[in-house]
Amino acid sequence: MTTTTEARIEADENVPMIHIYREFAATPAQLFRAHTDPEVFSRWVGPADIGADIDYWDARDGGSWRYTAGRDDFSTGFRGCFHTVTEGRIVQTFTWEGMPEGVALETLTFEDLGNGRTLLHAQSLCDSFEARDGWLASGMETGVRDGYAAIDRMLEAGEL
């Protein structure tokens, strides 16, 4: 059985950045796949009660992506560009289409801790402190925690 840990979400005091740390019972390659394979990504991203549909997904240097998320009569879009896609690091932009003028630069790293465990560190550099604080106040932690718990379940079921 996998021991789950909670995601640690922190606001950087010096720059408008959000740091997310989460340890998984997974290899870096498994977490990399969770973030680059559109079929896998759509199964875990976001709050548990909201589905995700991939419109396009080209996980390579210079590629782009877009997906919609929603339930019932609610739907919203997210899009971005992949800048760097390597086994241990992904750099991409992230835009919520509800606020298309706001673009975050995200860097995800996958640190092998040994014994089949990996630390995911995600950084989101926002346009301003106000934008960062808006993200933090939006309830984003629910989507982060639900999504990472879904990755845990996929790992336990041998689906990753």
Side-chain angles (χ1 to χ4, degrees):
M1 175 168 248
T2 301
T3 302
T4 59
T5 59
E6 285 296 315
R8 194 172 82 235
I9 301 170
E10 300 174 352
D12 194 299
E13 295 179 16
N14 301 308
V15 294
M17 182 179 290
I18 299 168
H19 295 272
I20 302 172
Y21 303 91
R22 175 62 150 71
E23 189 176 322
F24 290 88
T27 65
Q30 288 172 305
L31 290 182
F32 178 79
R33 179 173 176 230
H35 288 83
T36 57
D37 181 323
E39 181 183 323
V40 175
F41 182 84
S42 68
R43 292 176 50 210
W44 69 263
V45 70
D49 63 341
I50 294 179
D53 294 308
I54 305 295
D55 291 327
Y56 51 88
W57 194 272
D58 186 11
R60 63 175 176 84
D61 292 4
S64 61
W65 58 270
R66 182 179 188 276
Y67 70 91
T68 56
R71 66 174 172 266
D72 302 326
D73 62 347
F74 165 78
S75 181
T76 190
F78 302 90
R79 62 183 162 80
C81 296
F82 290 104
H83 292 265
T84 304
V85 181
T86 62
E87 185 103 356
R89 185 171 184 249
I90 299 170
V91 179
Q92 65 185 11
T93 57
F94 180 94
T95 299
W96 171 48
E97 292 177 353
M99 293 183 68
E101 67 284 351
V103 179
L105 179 63
E106 296 189 331
T107 302
L108 292 84
T109 56
F110 310 101
E111 179 185 348
D112 189 344
L113 300 175
N115 297 321
R117 300 201 67 81
T118 299
L119 177 66
L120 167 65
H121 178 201
Q123 306 178 102
S124 296
L125 179 61
C126 300
D127 291 335
S128 65
F129 285 99
E130 293 79 18
R132 181 204 63 195
D133 294 346
W135 275 33
L136 291 169
S138 74
M140 67 167 271
E141 72 276 356
T142 299
V144 169
R145 292 191 172 115
D146 285 0
Y148 290 167
I151 290 176
D152 286 335
R153 289 189 299 276
M154 293 170 72
L155 290 161
E156 289 173 1
E159 298 170 356
L160 247 178

